[in-house]
Amino acid sequence: MAEGPTINTIARHAGVSIASVSRVLNGLPTREETVRRVLRAAEELGYVPNSVARSLKSRRTNQVAFAMADIGNPVYLAMVREIQPVLRAAGYRLLLHSTDADVADELDVLRGLGERYVDGLIMIPLRVTEGHLSALAAARAPVVVIGSVPEGAGVDNVRTDSRTGVRLALDHLYGLGRRRIAFVNGPADTVPGAARAAAYREALDALDLPYDEDLVEVGDFYRAEGARAVRALLDRAGDVDALMCANDLIALGALDVLRRAGRRVPEDVAVVGMDDTDLAAVAWPSLTSVSLGSARRGRAAAELLLDRLENGEREPRVVTVEPRLAVRASTVGARAAEEYGENGAAGEAGDGGEGAREAGRTAGEEGIR
Amino acid sequence: MAEGPTINTIARHAGVSIASVSRVLNGLPTREETVRRVLRAAEELGYVPNSVARSLKSRRTNQVAFAMADIGNPVYLAMVREIQPVLRAAGYRLLLHSTDADVADELDVLRGLGERYVDGLIMIPLRVTEGHLSALAAARAPVVVIGSVPEGAGVDNVRTDSRTGVRLALDHLYGLGRRRIAFVNGPADTVPGAARAAAYREALDALDLPYDEDLVEVGDFYRAEGARAVRALLDRAGDVDALMCANDLIALGALDVLRRAGRRVPEDVAVVGMDDTDLAAVAWPSLTSVSLGSARRGRAAAELLLDRLENGEREPRVVTVEPRLAVRASTVGARAAEEYGENGAAGEAGDGGEGAREAGRTAGEEGIR
DNA sequence: TTGTAGGCGTTATCAA
DNA sequence: TTGATAACGCCTACAA
């Protein structure tokens, strides 16, 4: 761990000034003889430029941060997987912040931009408070927010459209002849919780189905909670023939409970999840799920940020990613599901940007394919 | 995005020297009046110290990098989830490198340490070449390697023991009365592939079971390949009564094929995976899997690195994480599996360090629980 | 073509 | 207790 050589060391070694060293290293016009001597010295000494010093001078770190609640969440994970290569290709390193869905943490991250340890930030706030808006306005580096943010927040914004998403699912279920379509939501006081609840009512309306309180259960966005909620639902409304779940984990819990209750999926009860995570394809029966385009949102966010880093002064932009329905066995049965193709959704990563990259052979430690 | 204030700005504002500003900001003894003026100016100007300048001076970045093949891989993901909070608690930011399992990339990361953009590195090399060894020896910052590394490599090292892992699985299967235990491996020329192949032979030996070439199939570490391999196996050795799969994805592929072939799991064929990823608990039937302690390995690596950052000169240390068997339905049946507890393995995160942290409510975008 | 010198924002030393 | 000043490693006018 010897102290590394600096341009000073090289200058001495090569018998030139540090300015010449810098010039050579940056490819500025220099006498050939000098170039040779500098390069040789650099080579011999194993010189590597100090990025911190360079950053201080250039005011760029070539680092970008991504802040989300928890990297263990498959939705955020899908985003990271897209964000990382895009940034990397542009020469940026990726820094990860797990905010644990804590508002104070999120605000800290925003204020932390003043430390200038990154050139920009992609963030998914749990919810958007007043504090967020003022912190965003005062941010000392470009920020891209994933998740809806009010007009005039002054930041680039990537959204999805859960309204349409829920609508796709309910239309699908309706088309399959389902009429008693229950809804299992997460907490109503979260942004997505509220949005999805509203979307459910709207979709029912559009289909001319009555809104029945007995068919709605609110729990949390976890598997165990999903199970609990579905048990409650079945007790209360034994005639449900479809479950719209506010995310895939809830849906997995639903599958567990239905299986134990002896209800066949999808014959007796069809189940739809949301987010179209990797888990949907692994579940049995495989899970029909509304894709909210996590990967595409991640990619879009990265691209917006890069663009803004080149071009700091353009107007803030809003990108909306359209939801899709990934049809699988939990609504149409295993046989039909195969006809839809292996996973229903048409290439989540979109536009030739392949989501699941070839990872070579990691031997027992591989991503899903 | 106005240029931020520096200690110079504050000094002018407060009518003191930059030295005084620095002192106050660092809590060094200062006259109270001066403290007040500096703090007020800092407050008014919204001063935030520039971490780049600070790093240049202090020669510490408070950043640590984690380099693995692909963050989408559930095994690495489990590691990141442990590494992140440990580092964060110690005041370090986490930087992510996806090497795509490319040796050249890995070496680049090691050489890149010379840029001093991080204080240390945790890395999982795909395989350990000569190049790795010399790059490790020349590394300009402390490195912790996850995965076996030869004695004398001079770096901290976290390992698992796949030998024992496979042994646990085969003992379990044997105990259930299985005698025709096939093995589905990934490429034999990878480190884990080779290790697991050897472990399988050894475990057979220990059980006095014959090694039967027909019972071994080599493919890749993916679900589709696992499916292919198992089809081949069934064609060739229809009497297999158990499948030892070299990772969970292969095992998932196996479940698909068995289901289609009308073989009941576990009644006709028991299936064991490896790595005990989140997917194992989601699969149906839920998958018995050898846990190689991904989370614990991650945590151990982070702790080793932190220790070394405090104490640069101690001897390199080797930590070995013991494998465990997570028994689930794919070997003992759904009913019995429940008696083992929800997922068989006794708290993978170990030692009170809870792996699956409460993530609050992320509303539709949650990790598995 | 090259070298000297100043500055990026901090910290730390040394006089005053 | 405070201020001037010199680093940290690099880049870049500007002068030679």
Coordinates of all heavy atoms in Angstrom, one line a residue, chain A residues 60 305-315 317:
Chain A
R60 N -16.0 18.1 -11.2 CA -16.8 17.0 -11.6 C -16.3 15.7 -11.0 O -15.1 15.5 -10.9 CB -16.8 16.7 -13.1 CG -17.2 17.9 -13.9 CD -17.6 17.5 -15.4 NE -18.9 17.8 -15.7 CZ -19.9 17.0 -16.0 NH1 -19.6 15.7 -16.2 NH2 -21.1 17.4 -16.3
L305 N -30.8 12.1 -16.8 CA -29.7 12.7 -15.9 C -28.5 13.0 -16.8 O -27.9 14.1 -16.7 CB -29.4 11.8 -14.8 CG -28.4 12.4 -13.8 CD1 -28.8 13.7 -13.3 CD2 -28.1 11.4 -12.6
L306 N -28.1 12.0 -17.6 CA -26.9 12.2 -18.4 C -27.1 13.4 -19.3 O -26.2 14.3 -19.5 CB -26.7 11.0 -19.3 CG -26.1 9.8 -18.5 CD1 -25.9 8.6 -19.5 CD2 -24.8 10.2 -17.9
D307 N -28.3 13.5 -19.9 CA -28.5 14.6 -20.8 C -28.4 15.9 -20.0 O -27.8 16.9 -20.5 CB -30.0 14.5 -21.4 CG -30.3 15.6 -22.3 OD1 -29.8 15.5 -23.5 OD2 -31.0 16.6 -21.9
R308 N -29.0 16.0 -18.9 CA -28.9 17.2 -18.1 C -27.5 17.5 -17.6 O -27.1 18.7 -17.5 CB -29.8 17.0 -16.9 CG -29.5 17.8 -15.6 CD -30.1 19.1 -15.6 NE -31.3 19.3 -16.5 CZ -32.4 20.0 -16.2 NH1 -32.4 20.7 -15.1 NH2 -33.3 20.1 -17.1
L309 N -26.7 16.5 -17.5 CA -25.3 16.8 -17.0 C -24.5 17.4 -18.2 O -23.6 18.1 -18.0 CB -24.6 15.5 -16.6 CG -25.1 15.0 -15.2 CD1 -24.5 13.6 -14.9 CD2 -24.7 15.9 -14.1
E310 N -24.9 17.1 -19.4 CA -24.3 17.7 -20.6 C -24.8 19.1 -20.7 O -24.1 20.0 -21.2 CB -24.7 17.0 -21.9 CG -24.5 15.5 -21.8 CD -23.0 15.1 -22.0 OE1 -22.3 15.1 -21.0 OE2 -22.7 14.9 -23.2
N311 N -26.0 19.3 -20.4 CA -26.8 20.4 -20.9 C -27.6 21.0 -19.7 O -28.8 20.8 -19.7 CB -27.7 19.9 -22.0 CG -28.5 21.0 -22.6 OD1 -28.5 22.1 -22.1 ND2 -29.4 20.6 -23.5
G312 N -26.9 21.6 -18.8 CA -27.5 21.9 -17.5 C -28.7 22.8 -17.6 O -29.5 22.9 -16.6
E313 N -28.9 23.6 -18.6 CA -29.9 24.6 -18.6 C -31.2 24.4 -19.2 O -32.1 25.2 -19.3 CB -29.3 25.9 -19.1 CG -28.2 26.5 -18.2 CD -28.6 26.4 -16.7 OE1 -29.8 26.6 -16.3 OE2 -27.7 26.0 -15.9
R314 N -31.4 23.2 -19.8 CA -32.6 23.0 -20.5 C -33.8 22.9 -19.5 O -33.6 22.7 -18.3 CB -32.5 21.7 -21.4 CG -32.4 20.4 -20.6 CD -32.9 19.3 -21.4 NE -32.5 18.0 -20.8 CZ -33.0 17.5 -19.7 NH1 -34.0 18.2 -19.1 NH2 -32.7 16.4 -19.2
E315 N -35.0 23.0 -20.1 CA -36.2 22.9 -19.3 C -36.3 21.5 -18.7 O -35.9 20.5 -19.3 CB -37.4 23.2 -20.1 CG -37.6 24.7 -20.5 CD -37.9 25.5 -19.2 OE1 -38.9 25.2 -18.5 OE2 -37.0 26.3 -18.9
R317 N -37.9 18.0 -17.8 CA -38.7 17.2 -18.8 C -39.4 16.1 -18.0 O -39.0 15.7 -16.9 CB -37.7 16.5 -19.7 CG -38.2 16.3 -21.1 CD -37.1 15.7 -22.0 NE -36.2 16.8 -22.5 CZ -35.0 16.6 -23.0 NH1 -34.5 15.3 -23.0 NH2 -34.3 17.5 -23.5

